[in-house]
Amino acid sequence: MKNLFDLTGKIAVVTGASSGLGMSAALAYAEYGADVALLARRKEKLEQVADKIREMGRKALTVVCDVSDPESVKSATERVLEYYGHVDILLNNAGIATRGSVEDLSIEDWDKAMNTNVRGMYLLCKYFVPGMREQKYGKIINIASVNAIIADKSPLLARHVYNSSKAAINGLTLGMAASYMQDGITVNSIGPGLFESEMTQDTLFKNESFLNIYNATTPAGRPGREGELNGTILYFSSDASSYVTGQYIVVDGGASIV
Ligand SMILES: NC(=O)c1ccc[n+]([C@@H]2O[C@H](COP(=O)([O-])OP(=O)(O)OC[C@H]3O[C@@H](n4cnc5c(N)ncnc54)[C@H](OP(=O)(O)O)[C@@H]3O)[C@@H](O)[C@H]2O)c1
């Protein structure tokens, strides 16, 4: 029987591939047979991930890209298409977790978070969707957050622009999903709960009261472990989800259901 999760011969682009969830997903793509383009700002970190992928016998291209900078995204997408010729899978994962309430946030903070978390995704899609439509195949996976649908559980932690940007990602996902299914493109989003990464290790993981509240109010009783997001990413990235579009799956150990 055909393995519905097999990605052999596919080209996958991962933004924010230099650390955390994006790095883990890039390695999972290679493990399932895909060649990968790794995008982020830190070249050295990307090269370390690329070396691991090449050791697995897959191709890896690293491209320095600041997703908040339209020119940088344009040239990065051109470089990917020049190298691989086409793209099958786009994992829009790069993001920042700006803190603050509407009162605390500066306009610059707001714009930076929205430009990184949402406008960057729009730009990546803008440049890769035409080729996907032409080839009649594409899998787009947008990493939102459980904070698209719930506020942070700790009342001490306000992240109003983060909440806004992650909810906007789900809007983008819905609209694109409806437009492009006829072209063989599925567009879905994922809402991770708490996972340890550069984004969270020095803040949330070292904040005992936050961690206690999260664990006590999450049916799993713990944060997500390394690799626990990859099953959902691989599902949306493969033919296992060929009839699934515009969906948002929360991967949070039940944190959002209680
Ligand atoms: N960890 C969690 O608990 C959690 C929960 C919900 C949602 N998420 C989402 O998951 C995604 C990945 O986060 P993570 O937890 O893996 O955090 P992370 O380890 O901090 O990873 C963030 C990635 O985004 C990249 N990035 C940030 N700003 C960028 C920019 N302007 N241009 C290009 N790349 C940029 C970073 O690379 P460079 O610094 O090298 O550019 C890094 O590779 C984010 O969208 C985050 O909001 C995470």
Side-chain angles (χ1 to χ4, degrees), residues 16 18-19 21 41-42 65-67 93 162 166 193 195 197:
S18 58
S19 67
L21 302 175
R41 293 164 301 180
R42 289 170 297 171
C65 175
D66 179 346
V67 298
N93 164 78
Y162 188 71
K166 294 302 185 177
F195 283 78
S197 69

Side-chain angles (χ1 to χ4, degrees), residues 170 173-178 181 186-189 236 244-248:
N170 284 348
T173 302
L174 272 186
M176 286 183 58
M181 188 61 171
T186 64
V187 189
N188 292 288
S189 72
F236 280 147
V244 180
T245 199
Q247 299 306 303
Y248 167 62

Side-chain angles (χ1 to χ4, degrees), residues 15-23 39-43 45-46 65-69 72 92-97 112 115-117 121 143-147 159 162 166 169 190-200 204-205 229:
T15 69
S18 58
S19 67
L21 302 175
M23 175 176 71
L39 276 58
R41 293 164 301 180
R42 289 170 297 171
K43 180 80 171 167
K45 291 257 182 193
L46 290 178
C65 175
D66 179 346
V67 298
S68 70
D69 174 358
S72 176
N92 271 319
N93 164 78
I96 52 173
K112 186 176 176 201
N115 289 344
T116 304
N117 295 357
M121 287 194 184
I143 301 297
S145 167
V146 69
N147 295 131
R159 291 191 293 176
Y162 188 71
K166 294 302 185 177
I169 289 167
I190 300 177
L194 182 63
F195 283 78
E196 191 160 9
S197 69
E198 285 183 12
M199 180 181 280
T200 56
L204 306 183
F205 273 81
L229 200 63

Side-chain angles (χ1 to χ4, degrees), residues 74-89:
K74 187 165 187 291
S75 63
T77 54
E78 285 168 358
R79 174 74 187 117
V80 172
L81 290 172
E82 175 190 71
Y83 186 82
Y84 282 123
H86 76 285
V87 165
D88 299 297
I89 300 162

